[in-house]
Amino acid sequence: MIIMKKRIGVMTLAVGILLAASLAGSPAPAYADIVWDHWQKAESLSASGNNAEAVSHWQFLANHYGSTGDWENAALFCGKLDSYYDAIGDYDEAIHYYELENEYWVKAGKDWGAVKLQRADQIRTTVELYRQDRDQTAIQKLAMPKNGQLAKFEPAFGTYLGMYSEQDPKVGNMFAKTESVYGKKHAIYLAYAHWGQSFPAAYAKRAKDAGGALQIAWEPDDGLNPVTDGAYLRKWAQDAKAAGIPIFLRFAGEMNGAWVKWHGNPAQYIAKFRMLHDVFASDAPNVAMVWSPGDVPANDIDPYYPGDAYVDWVGVSLYIEPYENGDPSLPSMIATSSVERLTRLYNTYSDRKPLMLSETGVPHYSHSTEEDFTEWAKLNLQRLYEIMPYKYPRLKAITYFNVNQNMDNAKNNYSLSSSSDIQNYYTKLIANPYLLSKVADSAKPADGIGYVPVDAAHQSFTKQTKFIPFVKIPEVYIGKVEYILNGRVIASQTELPYGLQLRAGDVPEGSVLQIRVTNKSGKQVALRTFGISSQVSVEIDGKEQIFEQAPVIVNGSTLTPLRAIFEEMGATVAYEAVTKTVTAVKGNTTVRLTLDQKTVYVNGQAVQLEEPARLVNGYTLAPARFVGETFGGKVSWEGTSRTVTITRK
């Protein structure tokens, strides 16, 4: 049985704190007259409703107290400024002061600024761009830990697809039904267990029958004291091993939250977690230990970390909802997305451990207000299953909490199958092979395609690619996303999910792609420019070649890597640096060419090239047709995908 915990959100918590802080006394008469004058004028103007004229006084006071190290007063005046700028829609200035206020609260030794950072994220305009990539070396580099060693069951790249389905009327705990309902097998199924109860063997068998792994949320309902090494634990471990499937063991999750009985003693928690790790390492090596806090309260997370040697995966329970705890009387949370809420945990632990969303969900209906949030859910489901795995390549698993939650608190419908619209949309999103259906060490997507950010290091693509924008605006709902290539609008989207396919032939080197965003009122709210290019690709007998130096086009001629292609064709290649001469031999054919000269010799006969061979970044490149045909290949050019095709005769 799942017991949902009422969580005190950071906004609710901060309201009382900031009200108390705002009652701090005025500066003593010993303060310089100018400071007192600014304070009094600001109070008078604000009291009369003239906040615009109070701004200059608040700015003076925030700067003054910040320069003197009076962090609390500096934070309080920043609070007045960020609230003012937020109210008038000057979001850039509001974000500046929200972040500055948090900085001052941190310097004051308080965590009261967390709510302000949350609000800054809500109103921040974001336009990022990601794209498909076939270069597995580049993809895996982004997805690897700093030490280069994958964790237990960690995929090389890609993200495991997981689900808690027991309360889904179309699936229940018959996990094998998942494929027929949602169009795809899932890699991980979630079950709950309680300390003192036997290993959930029935769930493990059903996961095995479905071809999946099992995530077990193991909860010590009576606290940590009963958690000891003994006959019960050893039998539990033996049964886990006998299950014969990968098991992700999430012991005592959300330990940073006061709503669980195992909260409050980090040292004891760490000792128990380490003990369990050692038992399972010796008795059940098919178990990966998952340390999984909640994403809030953020400042209570790190003290509970058991250490790298005892943690296989770092998980997190991370939910978003339109109203905090389902209560519409609290500040709206509709502008919050899961993307930003993972950032802190990801930045802290991803260099060392793979991350998983142990529990997550996006509601499409609020029972407390009887409001439909289908459009909001679609927006955030795309962020969950497309943007987050691409933005955070060390995010290696997502387990969706598939529940219609109609309880006293947190009244949200996260159920995927209770809405045919949401069910179909989810099915469309998860069809992406990047979302993996099978747990295995070093797993990869079946199509070998990964995703990279479009930045200075990842501008160029071959053949064709799909671009996926991450767009977030303060108004939340997006009216239109336009794609402008080299000054011309080539596509416009008003329906989710957002994304654009482009062919290499449409994107010459040095192209510019702009993403223009309008809100529901038709007002442009964002415009961002990205440099993109396509590269020539080479196929030999249908196999795409991967080169350290990509082909280039010079004066209309395509130059391709000579050594790599000659060797793939079966020739031996030698280079004489003094004379800058390349000699290649295959059977009865000998080729000699000199860099920067158009004349080459094939078995002593002179042949003229349209462009001379040359060094590019230390690699010898020569015209593609000459390189492909010299040793008996047939060369053709496909302009749409900018592909040189070489077929050996």
Side-chain angles (χ1 to χ4, degrees), residues 136 157-158 184 432-437 443-450:
Q136 294 195 19
F157 66 98
K184 187 172 182 177
N432 183 354
Y434 193 82
L435 299 170
L436 305 172
S437 294
K444 298 177 183 179
D447 60 2
I449 294 176

Side-chain angles (χ1 to χ4, degrees), residues 144-152 154 351-354 394:
M144 289 290 286
K146 208 167 190 178
N147 65 9
Q149 300 296 315
L150 294 174
K152 186 181 294 187
E154 181 181 352
D351 276 353
R352 296 169 279 166
K353 301 294 174 183
R394 300 277 299 137

Side-chain angles (χ1 to χ4, degrees), residues 264-307:
N265 189 337
Q268 184 188 29
Y269 177 88
I270 289 171
K272 301 295 185 179
F273 194 100
R274 289 180 173 181
M275 179 271 293
L276 289 173
H277 168 273
D278 291 345
V279 168
F280 286 102
S282 64
D283 291 11
N286 62 315
V287 171
M289 293 297 294
V290 181
W291 175 72
S292 185
D295 73 309
V296 292
N299 290 329
D300 246 1
I301 291 175
D302 299 337
Y304 287 89
Y305 186 61

